[in-house]
Amino acid sequence: MGGQPPSAVRERSERRMRRKFAARILILIAIVGAYAIYRHRGPATNSRAAQHAFAPDFTLPQLSGPPLKLSDYRGKVVLLDFWATWCEPCRVETPFLVDLQNKYRDQGLQIIGVSMDDTPDPVPGFYQQFKMNYPVVMGNAKIGEEYGGVLGLPIAFLLDREGRIQKKHIGATDASTFEREVQTLLQGG
């Protein structure tokens, strides 16, 4: 470095390293902060536009019976549950959803299960094993995309009587949370 004392070269090199280190730390903080905001808010579901938007309509094949059209359930509070037979948290939630359907059916609740299994083969056995008392349709990648991407299961959407998304739950949700939210919507809230 042309006549500069080794200490000056070393000092300049250390400053550059400190600046690079500080820049990397700032980038890491920004990434962690963005991830924390994403996890807290969920992907676009807590924005006012998405949270109270109409749920995307669909017509999907049921396990038995004619295809199910979501918009046919307008006038009811709908809990739309995306799940799969291999999903352990789904296995924990299903018995509670069966109880919830029994308890609030006559007040206007309709739970609809959307199986995200790759094939329908394991679904009838699961349906019988858990004594499911609500319709189950076979979902697909397109419907997952329309609902913001189904990257983990279970995911539940709570729709008001007009078909607007009022709540979205990613991952296992406490039974009391579902019940409280269902009661609120059934009472017109």
Side-chain angles (χ1 to χ4, degrees):
M1 291 256 166
Q4 290 183 352
S7 62
V9 172
R10 199 173 35 252
E11 188 177 314
R12 197 176 8 202
S13 176
E14 287 175 3
R15 270 189 294 206
R16 258 188 265 131
M17 284 178 35
R18 279 194 295 264
R19 273 189 246 132
K20 283 181 181 179
F21 180 75
R24 287 180 180 144
I25 293 295
L26 288 174
I27 290 169
L28 182 61
I29 290 170
I31 290 170
V32 169
Y35 177 75
I37 290 169
Y38 174 83
R39 290 293 295 165
H40 177 71
R41 296 174 106 187
T45 56
N46 289 336
S47 71
R48 294 201 184 274
Q51 190 174 31
H52 297 293
F54 282 100
D57 197 14
F58 60 76
T59 301
L60 291 171
Q62 291 189 71
L63 287 182
S64 59
L68 181 143
K69 185 173 183 175
L70 180 61
S71 59
D72 288 346
Y73 291 88
R74 293 265 165 84
K76 292 186 176 281
V77 170
V78 174
L79 196 159
L80 193 58
D81 181 46
F82 286 80
W83 63 280
T85 58
W86 47 262
C87 165
E88 285 304 316
C90 301
R91 291 176 168 272
V92 172
E93 279 187 351
T94 299
F96 175 72
L97 296 178
V98 168
D99 292 343
L100 199 64
Q101 181 66 49
N102 280 332
K103 188 171 182 179
Y104 295 104
R105 172 187 289 120
D106 294 338
Q107 295 175 45
L109 173 66
Q110 182 59 65
I111 297 175
I112 299 172
V114 181
S115 170
M116 297 303 286
D117 284 274
D118 293 331
T119 70
D121 297 339
V123 180
F126 185 96
Y127 189 90
Q128 291 172 349
Q129 177 186 353
F130 286 91
K131 298 175 178 55
M132 295 170 81
N133 56 355
Y134 50 87
V136 171
V137 298
M138 293 306 302
N140 53 44
K142 181 181 178 220
I143 195 67
E145 289 289 319
E146 288 179 3
Y147 277 83
V150 179
L151 302 175
L153 296 173
I155 295 179
F157 295 86
L158 195 57
L159 315 180
D160 65 18
R161 293 180 189 269
E162 295 174 0
R164 287 188 172 93
I165 298 171
Q166 295 297 318
K167 298 286 181 180
K168 177 180 180 182
H169 296 281
I170 301 171
T173 300
D174 184 65
S176 63
T177 299
F178 276 142
E179 187 158 16
R180 184 177 60 254
E181 293 172 354
V182 163
Q183 288 174 340
T184 298
L185 288 176
L186 288 172
Q187 295 168 3

